[in-house]
């Protein structure tokens, strides 16, 4: 393990050391799990947090904001505090340090983009495990662990049992809160990870307020390529903005395209590699266009690292998707649950579900809380555009019974969502609670019809709520 001091940590995050300079010999950790010698990273900390860190034997605390009497209590317990204006700097350093310390010889793959990151990351991880790698990913069944606000990825790497041979890490294309954009997020994290391959999925609008145009989103995503020194850059040939990023790829790195008119493409018979059928259509667990795009990205990445076609075929055909990725919750009626939460994701998911529907199509959509009027306006437009061509029953909800304050739907967000639907002539029913919305959908749908559930935090508990209803 490389020796660290509190002063060196302060320098790494452009912070100020308050307290003594001393050697630290633990790992980067979150407050509640911190052990003897650990370096606690927390966006903010108060006196209670300092007492917990001290009681657990932490060697120091790195934070962006001290509250109450935190500094006085830290002085009393002789625990150094490092104050930084950019918490993302220490978390990026934590990942790099953890990889160099605990897994220096790993194969490293980064996946970023607006949509499809989680599924692509998870599928690459699945293929590598099928190929015999001892591998880790930061994408779980709920969502990716936040790599910039807490040190979860560094913690997981440090605590991994056994010899780690590969890491496949999802990097959010943008990050921030309260309209504070952490500039060059994808670049900062990719540079810290130092991957052998970067996979770019697509460019679309999602985090309105952090980025407000496709050009801004594209700039943030492409920053993953700045200073890249790895072997492969895997690009979506069907997305013009991603395709054009080939000009940013260093000459020493190989560009691998996937999609139409490339070596790895989808045709009606299945997925082809160099014009030879690699995975027959019947072996694909899902046939929706966005799932196929994610599969093409994962397959291309695996082929780059010389994973055999047979292993890839076996891993993909037996693939179990992440929770809320076009998950079937029931069959009579067909109930599909999906994490679609931005315009492009909404349009793709509604089309895929509508193509499966026989009879009436019932859509239950959770308005995005505390994400602003602009994103909700775009989401509503995506819903309106997508359901006009089908016989639909639209139910929208504010999910007040299941969301916390950080995801509460503000009156202005509800208002703009409804105004778009009214302007487009879309009939709808609104319910304040998720349970009311789901009860209405179940009551309205016949056994041969389809119910699609979409949305982020406001729809996350839907499967549990449905169990209580039925």
């Amino acid at each position: 393990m490389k020796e660290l001091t509190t002063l060196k940590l302060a320098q790494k995050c452009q912070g100020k050391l308050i307290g003594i300079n001393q050697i630290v010999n633990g790992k980067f950790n979150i407050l509640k799990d911190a052990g003897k010698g650990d370096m606690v990273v927390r966006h903010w900390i108060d006196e209670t947090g300092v007492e917990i860190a001290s009681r657990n034997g932490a060697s120091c605390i790195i934070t962006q904001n001290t509250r109450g009497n935190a500094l006085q209590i830290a002085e009393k317990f002789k625990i150094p505090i490092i104050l930084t204006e950019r918490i993302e700097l220490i978390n990026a350093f934590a990942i790099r340090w953890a990889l160099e310390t605990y897994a220096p010889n790993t194969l490293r793959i980064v996946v970023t983009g607006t949509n499809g990151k989680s599924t692509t990351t998870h599928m690459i991880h699945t293929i590598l495990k099928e190929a015999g790698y001892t591998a880790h990913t930061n994408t779980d069944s709920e969502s990716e662990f936040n790599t910039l606000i807490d040190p979860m990825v560094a913690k997981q790497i440090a605590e991994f049992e056994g010899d780690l041979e590969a890491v496949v890490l999802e990097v959010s294309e943008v990050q921030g809160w309260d309209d504070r954009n952490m500039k060059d997020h994808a670049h900062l994290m990719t540079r810290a990870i130092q991957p052998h391959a970067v996979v770019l999925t697509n460019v679309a609008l999602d985090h309105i307020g952090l980025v407000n145009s496709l050009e801004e989103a594209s700039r943030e995503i492409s920053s993953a390529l700045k200073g890249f020194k790895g072997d492969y850059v895997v690009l979506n040939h069907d997305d013009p903005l991603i395709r054009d990023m080939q000009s940013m790829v260093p000459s020493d790195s190989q560009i691998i395209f996937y999609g139409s008119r490339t070596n790895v493409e989808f045709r009606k018979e299945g997925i082809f590699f160099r014009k030879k059928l690699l995975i027959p259509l019947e072996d694909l667990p899902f046939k929706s266009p966005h799932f196929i795009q994610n599969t093409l990205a994962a397959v291309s990445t695996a082929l780059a690292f010389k994973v055999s076609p047979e292993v890839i075929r076996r891993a993909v055909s037996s693939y179990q998707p992440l929770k809320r990725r076009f998950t079937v919750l029931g069959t009579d009626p067909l109930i599909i649950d999906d994490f679609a939460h931005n315009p492009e994701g909404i349009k793709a998911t509604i089309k895929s579900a509508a193509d499966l529907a026989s009879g009436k199509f019932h859509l239950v959509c959770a308005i995005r809380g505390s994400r602003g009027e602009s994103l909700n306006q775009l989401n509503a437009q995506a819903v309106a555009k997508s359901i006009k061509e089908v016989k639909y029953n639209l139910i929208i909800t504010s999910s007040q019974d299941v969301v916390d304050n950080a995801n509460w739907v503000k009156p202005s967000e509800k208002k703009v969502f409804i105004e778009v639907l009214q302007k487009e002539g879309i009939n709808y029913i609104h319910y304040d609670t998720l349970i009311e919305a789901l009860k209405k959908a179940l009551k309205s749908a016949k056994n041969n019809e389809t119910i699609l559930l979409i949305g982020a935090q406001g729809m996350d508990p839907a499967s549990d709520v449905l169990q209580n209803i039925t």
Side-chain angles (χ1 to χ4, degrees), residues 14 45 88 152 166 199 249 293 299 440:
Q14 300 173 17
I45 198 159
E88 60 265 34
M152 282 301 298
V199 185
V249 178
Q293 282 286 314
V299 168
K440 178 62 176 178

Side-chain angles (χ1 to χ4, degrees), residues 207-411:
H207 303 275
I208 305 297
L210 300 180
V211 292
N212 295 295
S213 68
L214 285 175
E215 289 74 20
E216 286 185 32
S218 180
R219 186 162 57 248
E220 291 293 330
I221 292 166
S222 66
S223 73
L225 299 177
K226 290 196 303 185
F228 177 68
K229 297 179 181 179
D231 301 316
Y232 304 106
V233 175
V234 184
L235 301 176
N236 183 354
H237 192 265
D238 294 326
D239 186 307
L241 291 174
I242 295 291
R243 187 171 63 239
D244 288 348
M245 291 178 193
Q246 62 183 299
S247 63
M248 299 180 62
V249 178
S251 58
D252 292 340
S253 303
Q254 181 179 342
I255 298 171
I256 298 174
F257 283 115
Y258 64 91
S260 304
R261 301 179 302 282
T262 72
N263 282 338
V264 180
E265 63 177 341
F266 177 76
R267 302 177 188 174
K268 63 180 180 180
E269 297 90 354
I271 291 177
F272 284 74
F273 174 51
R274 293 178 178 167
K275 300 182 180 180
K276 182 179 179 180
L277 184 62
L278 176 66
I279 307 173
L281 181 65
E282 59 268 22
D283 286 346
L284 293 175
F286 296 98
K287 281 76 175 175
S288 58
H290 54 301
F291 180 84
I292 289 171
Q293 282 286 314
N294 302 157
T295 306
L296 294 175
V299 168
S300 298
T301 306
L303 287 168
F305 290 103
K306 306 298 186 290
V307 178
S308 75
E310 180 55 40
V311 167
I312 294 171
R313 187 183 306 112
R314 190 164 63 241
V316 172
S317 62
S318 61
Y319 177 71
Q320 296 296 313
L322 290 163
K323 183 180 179 182
R324 301 210 62 225
R325 267 64 177 187
F326 218 72
T327 304
V328 176
L329 301 181
T331 54
D332 295 313
L334 177 62
I335 304 175
I336 300 170
D337 184 25
D338 195 90
F339 190 64
H341 60 288
N342 59 44
E344 294 303 315
I346 287 170
K347 287 186 282 189
T349 302
I350 290 177
K351 182 181 186 307
S352 297
D355 287 344
L356 296 175
S358 59
K360 202 168 189 178
F361 180 66
H362 304 263
L363 176 63
V364 185
C365 177
I367 301 171
R368 295 212 65 186
S370 299
R371 297 305 190 276
E373 296 172 21
S374 296
L375 180 58
N376 277 294
Q377 182 180 43
L378 291 170
N379 282 353
Q381 289 170 346
V383 168
K385 181 178 180 180
S386 300
I387 64 175
K388 281 184 176 180
E389 304 302 319
V390 298
K391 186 179 180 183
Y392 69 88
N393 171 36
L394 174 61
I395 301 168
I396 58 175
T397 177
S398 299
S399 301
Q400 291 179 357
D401 53 333
V402 295
V403 296
D404 55 20
N405 289 337
N407 297 292
W408 192 262
V409 176
K410 298 174 182 176

Side-chain angles (χ1 to χ4, degrees), residues 403-423:
V403 296
D404 55 20
N405 289 337
N407 297 292
W408 192 262
V409 176
K410 298 174 182 176
S412 60
E413 292 170 328
K414 173 185 171 183
K415 181 174 181 287
V416 73
F417 201 104
I418 287 174
E419 283 179 347
V420 169
L421 299 179
Q422 291 174 339
K423 181 180 178 181

